[in-house]
Amino acid sequence: MCGAQAPGDVMIGILWPCHHKVMDLHKRIRPESFHCSDFDLASFMISLAAIHEIGKINAAGFLPGVRLGYLMCDTCSCASKALHNVEHMLAVNRSLDVECDYVDFRPRVKVILGALYSEVSIAVARLLNVYMVPLLSSTSSSIDLSDKARYPVFMRTIPSDEHQTKAVAKIMHHHGWNWVGVVYGDDEYGRAAFRSFLKDAEENSVCLAYEEMVPHYLDHSLSTQRIKQVAQQIRSSSAQVVLLILKAELVEALFKEMIRTNTSRIWIASDAWSRSWSLSHMDGINKVGDILGFTFVSGKSESFDDYLKNLTATPGGYNHFIEEYKNLRFNCTPECFSNKPPSYCPPPDLLKIKSDNACNFKDPQEQNDDYLVKFLDTSEALPNKVAVWAIANALKKLLKCNSSSCVGEINFPPWKLLRELKKIKFELDNQNFFFDENGDFVSGYDLIIWETDGHHRRFRRIGKYRVLDHQIELDVKSFIWLSTANTTTPQSRCSERCAPGSVKKILNVSCCYNCTLCMEGTYTDAWDLHVCKKCPNGTWSLRGWKQCKPRWESYLQWSDPHPIIMMSAAAFGILLLLVTFIIFLVYRDSPPMKKAEVRLSCVMMAGLAVSFASVVCFMGRPSVHLCRARQLMYAMGFTLCVSCILVKAYRTFLVFLPFGQITNRRLHKLYKPPVIVSIITTLQGIICLLWLIFDSPDVDDTPPPPESMKKITQCSEGRTFIGFGIMLSYIALLALIGFLLAFKSRKVPQEFSETGYIIFSMLMYLFVWVCFIPVYITNHEKGTPVQASAILVSSYGIIFCHFLPKCYEALWGSKMDTLERILKRWRMISSPNLDPVTDVDIPAMNTFSQRDNRFSVSSTTTILRSSSIVSEVSPADLSVKIPRYSEKIHVHPLFNRLGTKVSRRRRSISF
């Protein structure tokens, strides 16, 4: 019935699969004996670890006076076969009596080690629950077995799959794999692990591209067809990472299909096959791609390696499994290597273990070598070793052993040993071991990668998973991936990662999304976030930014080129005014200066200087006082200047244009330059005062637009801009009146008036400010520099039109024309169709006419200056009465002073 046995005082049952499967299990009808096939070399090696440790404990006298024995049965990876074995182990006198109470049930086997697969352990544990015989496994990791209500007798020296699926989800998250496929077996182990992985995957933002289930038994009639369907699903999916929760033989069948179709993926191995020797040595294994896996904590043992090099059955017992292995290794069977091998020959994979010197040995059972040590990873047998020592330490407590003897009852009921196992804590190889409340160890996992080793693979430990704090610790930071042929980690994502500055917009599943940029005022500072964060107060971000920054203030800074140019222009303007003022004072008695009216010109210069100075207030960081000062200075200064120009235009208008005597006298009464200038400037002052009171300029607190990081710090000319508009409109009105008066007098000779200069300067002012208004309205940001520039341009316009020509005439200009020539040109311009002119010489004041005719001269009106005294001449003053033949001609004293020649034109002569 069982394949290995050694006598002892306390018997330990070993349920372990030394073969992969039961032959024709799906065709089984009669309850006949099970026939196993396909020797499992790796599982055989692990079972030997338990036998070796039992021998070490006996040899060391750990239990004084008590010898441990074992009974090892092959489950052949089949639960039914395992149950049959358990019945044999528990039988008393080859039978199992049915009792209502098994408290005093004392079978020969007190504890059972196994099984390899969770499905088998679940079936066996349900049966052992009846007898309360402890079942201690070193490989069955199903989550269901932690349920002590259903499996109170089950314990294990490894963690539960609850931790393994967490570790798998963690490593996927660590590498950024969020789009994976899962293939699991249709058994308790596969289904439970899959359910656990679903929960852990969601917690780690991992999504399933597909999930496939295959029959857990390879000889199932639909297994081959199902394997091909799963392979097609893997090939058609965009997921590059596949988690396989399968037995090794199912993985082998799937890999053969992958190799046949030349399909490469990244495979995540569950503990059931992560150290499978047969898989690592299968043909074409290097074509399937990268393989990562989690294994239970392992450790090398030199004594165990030595035992494997010298395999023999335990003295007094037998071991048919060792005999079968030696026959496979050392028995000469050349016929099995033919094209048509006999039916008794092992499958091709097992023929690979055949020794090259097999046909040189007479007795295979007498041979030994180091094949198992070289080609198998003997360190994975550590949990089985720990399980045997856990039983030994529990027996030591139960049997009350001291250094010399054990006084406890040898033939005890198994439930007492189960009670001691749950409480045991022991030390082995400088490590402490104990079972938690679920009967599990919390020792963690090793993370391994399957590296290429010629045409095969070898296992390399690259890290570990700590169960207590759920963290992965990588010992090897970088290694060569087969998928990328370098250290670059391959990717398996439904969508590309969303970089900082963007967030996920989920589509149908959480891992499939579009990346959308964060809006203004929000940001993300990490990858793959779902929600944009709001910027803290005082900071801002633009669309798609990964951090928030303080907005930078924008104003006319002193160090910027544009403000420097404007300041230089303003300073040069003031300097130019100062030079002009000096020239006017030095040459104040020259005819050009008399004609320019020095006093009014000086007042104009003062107003322009204030206007230039207002430009300074446009520079630097605005404040309430600067905002008010700059507009007030410009308004008053430029109004003062324009009012003086208006007086000049009005003067020319009065003198040279014809009016009736009544109108002429009324207009002359209004010509009072100081009063006019004062009234006009005072009105502007009142406008500015009301503006400051009701809608004063202030610093603009309008928030900047969301799409800008620039905070424009500038002045606001009030809430409604009414005061600002009235101020500018008032200056524009004065300029327009001056322009119209000068335009009306445009035919007056330039030498005798300034109409051309007035027209051009006022026209320039109006043009500049008409251009300023649309720019100010449409682009308020540029309003400050545009207004400062407009002030400079209009001020320079007045300087170049009114002052520089007079300075040029005073310094380098030719002598002025005589009044006679000026008036002559004026007559020709103003009255081109009049009669020929008769010149009358008036040498001084004593000039008489030789005719008795009476006539009048009323051709024009002018103002002449002498010694800064303004003399008014009206058309009435220029009327000259000529007595008949002897009457003296009355000439205005103006002409007498100038000693000029007056041209007389006859319009109507009465006799």
Side-chain angles (χ1 to χ4, degrees), residues 227-239:
I227 288 293
K228 291 184 177 180
Q229 292 175 350
V230 171
Q232 177 59 31
Q233 174 64 59
I234 293 173
R235 287 192 298 268
S236 62
S237 174
S238 61

Side-chain angles (χ1 to χ4, degrees), residues 775-794:
V775 174
Y776 189 86
I777 293 175
T778 58
N779 192 352
H780 191 51
E781 177 185 351
K782 301 296 183 182
T784 298
V786 169
Q787 184 181 1
S789 301
I791 293 173
L792 291 174
V793 173
S794 54

Side-chain angles (χ1 to χ4, degrees), residues 30 188 228 366 442 665 719:
R30 298 171 61 185
E188 286 80 357
K228 291 184 177 180
E366 298 295 330
V442 287
R665 294 181 185 277
R719 295 183 303 275

Side-chain angles (χ1 to χ4, degrees), residues 138-156:
S138 61
T139 54
S140 298
S141 55
S142 174
I143 300 173
D144 292 344
L145 290 168
S146 295
D147 186 352
K148 296 299 104 177
R150 291 190 292 167
Y151 309 103
V153 300
F154 181 81
M155 303 178 74
R156 52 190 164 195

